[in-house]
Amino acid sequence: EVRLAESGGGVVQPGESLRLSCKYSGLSFSSSDMSWVRQTPGKGLEWVAAISAGGTIPYYPDDRDIKGRFTISRDNNEDLLYLQMDNLKTEDTAVYYCVLGRRTRPTMAMVSSPGTQVTVSS
């Protein structure tokens, strides 16, 4: 059974940074692509970033202002997934989840963890 647990969220001001972590418990983390998705108030679930199983290929959406501010990475020795978020904006306020696979069109059925709240406010 795979378990995921996010941490690292908090309340920050615009322009500040946060680093989210996701601890994976189970087999074959290093064989799985992973993604970060977020649920924003009123906008539903959206894909934020993904990374290949080996950690060498990151993926970011082209149509939103994420690439260049967010960096996804992973540590396959420690079964950890990260999301470094810099220059945060108020519109980044959301609950952030890590999910298995490269989920560019996520649904809540893919989410199996509690998430971590990120609030960006002045």
Side-chain angles (χ1 to χ4, degrees), residues 16-114:
E16 294 186 338
S17 299
L18 278 175
R19 188 192 197 200
L20 306 184
S21 299
C22 170
K23 179 62 180 176
Y24 176 106
S25 299
L27 298 177
S28 304
F29 176 70
S30 61
S31 299
S32 300
D33 291 355
M34 296 291 296
S35 296
W36 285 99
V37 302
R38 67 186 181 188
Q39 184 162 38
T40 56
K43 288 184 68 177
L45 204 60
E46 58 182 5
W47 171 53
V48 174
I51 192 166
S52 62
T56 58
I57 306 174
Y59 303 92
Y60 304 98
D62 290 329
D63 59 342
R64 278 178 280 121
D65 179 27
I66 287 178
K67 193 173 184 179
R69 295 192 301 121
F70 290 9
T71 304
I72 189 170
S73 62
R74 65 192 295 164
D75 183 342
N76 283 350
N77 291 324
E78 299 294 333
D79 291 353
L80 284 165
L81 177 72
Y82 300 107
L83 184 68
Q84 176 68 40
M85 304 188 295
D86 298 319
N87 190 21
L88 282 161
K89 303 179 179 182
T90 55
E91 52 263 42
D92 296 318
T93 295
V95 179
Y96 286 72
Y97 304 93
C98 55
V99 298
L100 293 173
R102 196 187 332 163
R103 305 297 185 180
T104 59
R105 295 184 177 182
T107 66
M108 284 307 295
M110 302 171 186
V111 175
S112 61
S113 50

